[in-house]
């Protein structure tokens, strides 16, 4: 009667094999239990000095302290934020490469006919970081100080009015196109690679106006280098209550909000996503972070991965309608 399969040597062989398999699988089964055990790269798809970069550096510093690992900022600007986002979408889904997504990443699917990634399929939501209105700022010498005067000037100025943006497809671009459509004007678009160089040219008069985040624009308004015309939210901003909204000025119903959020490559382990989300909640609820963002017109905004996912989906749908109505298209 055959019994070799039960022999001590064969049994020892199978036991050794099983033990080896267990050892090999253990790191996979508990891949996120010791996360993070090395530095984390945070990709900012815009140049240094702009609003997204500012938010990223504040969050990275605080998150690094809580995680006990350094966070390395990598600025990868280009293609309206798409280059950096696509690079992260193609990175290993292990939680060590993250990206700061913005309103632009929800807009871009409606503007670019070909994208190398999908924000809803190739990136995993972790949490929103900030939300806030844009502010229309102008070079101090511009002969318009409110929305009504800006519209009148855009209709009569020879050559029209030039508006700067932080890049094609950004909220700073499409919010101005929404303004064009609702006001019945055609301001000329000048795209830049980020808010910092765009604001520099508005301050010098190379461009007339810009729809920018309060986080990056308001310090120059307070310093007298730019003048504020209106904010783009439905209500006035608590950090700048003297600046009227576009809606109350001359365009009822106008609203455009900018946001930032943290995302990882799709397929990142759930426990890694949850760890980052839990630590972000503490970071964004800390008084010093809230105070720093509030002072610049952004509200610290934490939410669950599920809620952030729903928010991103709704933003994609919202801006698709705006892009269609404005006729804006990029390639």
């Amino acid at each position: 009667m055959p019994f070799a399969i039960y022999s001590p040597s064969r049994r020892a062989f199978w036991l050794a094999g099983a033990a080896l398999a267990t050892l090999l699988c253990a790191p996979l089964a508990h891949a996120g239990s010791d996360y993070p055990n090395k530095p984390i790269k945070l990709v900012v798809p815009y140049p240094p000095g702009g609003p997204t970069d500012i938010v990223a550096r504040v969050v990275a510093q605080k998150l690094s302290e809580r995680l006990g690992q350094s966070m390395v900022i990598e600025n990868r600007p280009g293609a309206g934020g798409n280059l950096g986002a696509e690079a992260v979408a193609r990175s290993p889904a292990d939680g060590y490469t993250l990206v700061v997504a913005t309103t632009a990443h929800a807009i871009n699917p409606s503007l670019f006919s070909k994208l190398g990634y999908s924000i809803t399929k190739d990136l995993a939501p972790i949490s929103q970081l900030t939300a806030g209105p844009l502010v229309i700022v102008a070079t101090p010498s511009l002969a318009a100080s409110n929305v009504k005067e800006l519209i009148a000037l855009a209709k009569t100025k020879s050559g029209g009015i030039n508006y700067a943006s932080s890049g094609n497809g950004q909220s700073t671009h499409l919010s101005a196109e929404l303004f064009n459509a609702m006001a019945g004007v055609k301001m000329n678009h000048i795209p830049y690679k980020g808010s910092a160089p765009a604001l520099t040219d508005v301050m010098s008069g190379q461009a007339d106006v810009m729809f920018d985040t309060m986080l990056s624009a308001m310090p120059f308004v307070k310093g007298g280098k730019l003048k504020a015309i209106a904010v783009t939210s439905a209500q006035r901003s608590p950090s700048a209550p003297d600046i009227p909204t576009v809606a109350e000025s001359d365009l009822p119903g106008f609203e455009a909000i900018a946001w930032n959020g943290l995302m990882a490559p799709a397929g990142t382990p759930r426990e890694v996503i949850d760890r980052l989300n839990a630590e972000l909640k503490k970071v964004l609820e800390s008084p010093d972070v809230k105070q720093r963002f509030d002072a610049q017109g952004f509200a610290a905004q934490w939410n669950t991965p599920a809620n952030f996912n729903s928010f991103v989906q709704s933003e994609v749908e919202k801006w698709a309608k705006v892009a269609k109505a404005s006729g804006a298209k990029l390639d």
Side-chain angles (χ1 to χ4, degrees):
M1 179 178 181
F3 61 91
I5 193 172
Y6 299 106
S7 68
S9 60
R10 183 63 63 88
R11 184 172 184 274
F13 172 80
W14 285 112
L15 287 175
L20 179 61
T22 300
L23 288 173
L24 291 174
C25 292
L28 296 177
H30 303 286
S33 60
D34 64 342
Y35 175 86
N37 56 27
K38 62 180 181 179
I40 300 168
K41 181 167 68 176
L42 180 57
V43 175
V44 178
Y46 305 101
T52 302
D53 184 68
I54 293 171
V55 169
R57 292 178 189 276
V58 171
V59 171
Q61 178 187 348
K62 295 294 184 179
L63 195 55
S64 174
E65 293 171 2
R66 296 207 58 85
L67 293 172
Q69 284 288 346
S70 60
M71 296 193 73
V72 181
I73 300 289
E74 180 179 308
N75 294 92
R76 296 193 64 172
N82 289 326
L83 289 184
E86 182 177 348
V88 174
R90 294 181 176 181
S91 297
D94 55 10
Y96 290 97
T97 306
L98 310 174
V99 65
V100 180
T102 70
T103 316
H105 295 101
I107 294 172
N108 287 344
S110 300
L111 297 184
F112 293 85
S113 59
K114 294 180 180 179
L115 286 179
Y117 73 101
S118 166
I119 188 175
T120 56
K121 296 178 181 178
D122 299 324
L123 291 171
I126 298 174
S127 174
Q128 194 172 339
L129 300 174
T130 62
L134 302 176
V135 57
I136 306 175
V137 292
T139 186
S141 61
L142 189 71
S145 298
N146 55 52
V147 171
K148 187 173 183 179
E149 291 174 354
L150 180 61
I151 293 173
L153 186 63
K155 290 180 177 180
T156 59
K157 183 181 178 183
S158 177
I161 286 179
N162 296 323
Y163 77 88
S165 82
S166 56
N168 287 319
Q170 306 301 303
S171 59
T172 58
H173 167 210
L174 210 61
S175 59
E177 288 301 322
L178 177 61
F179 183 92
N180 276 341
M182 292 184 67
V185 299
K186 186 56 181 176
M187 297 187 294
N188 307 310
H189 181 210
I190 305 176
Y192 290 78
K193 290 185 177 181
S195 285
L199 285 172
T200 297
D201 272 10
V202 176
M203 285 186 276
S204 68
Q206 297 300 309
D208 298 310
V209 299
M210 182 175 181
F211 289 58
D212 198 22
T213 63
M214 298 185 74
L215 186 65
S216 57
M218 286 307 294
F220 298 111
V221 172
K222 294 174 181 177
K225 296 181 178 180
L226 292 170
K227 63 179 175 182
I229 291 178
V231 294
T232 63
S233 48
Q235 290 82 35
R236 294 194 182 197
S237 169
S239 63
D242 293 337
I243 303 177
T245 67
V246 175
E248 74 180 84
S249 299
D250 209 50
L251 289 180
F254 185 96
E255 182 179 15
I257 300 296
W259 55 266
N260 293 285
L262 194 63
M263 306 189 85
T268 298
R270 172 51 57 182
E271 57 188 286
V272 170
I273 296 288
D274 289 344
R275 173 76 194 283
L276 288 167
N277 180 269
E279 298 300 348
L280 274 173
K281 186 175 191 294
K282 296 169 185 175
V283 167
L284 295 172
E285 289 179 349
S286 63
D288 56 334
V289 171
K290 292 176 69 174
Q291 189 173 40
R292 182 165 181 181
F293 288 160
D294 287 347
Q296 302 295 344
F298 262 175
Q301 186 75 46
W302 174 87
N303 47 25
T304 65
N307 287 343
F308 185 37
N309 182 60
S310 297
F311 172 75
V312 171
Q313 294 276 2
S314 67
E315 282 287 282
V316 171
E317 295 171 3
K318 167 190 171 181
W319 287 109
K321 295 176 182 177
V322 174
K324 184 177 180 180
S326 68
K329 202 71 180 174
L330 298 171
D331 283 300

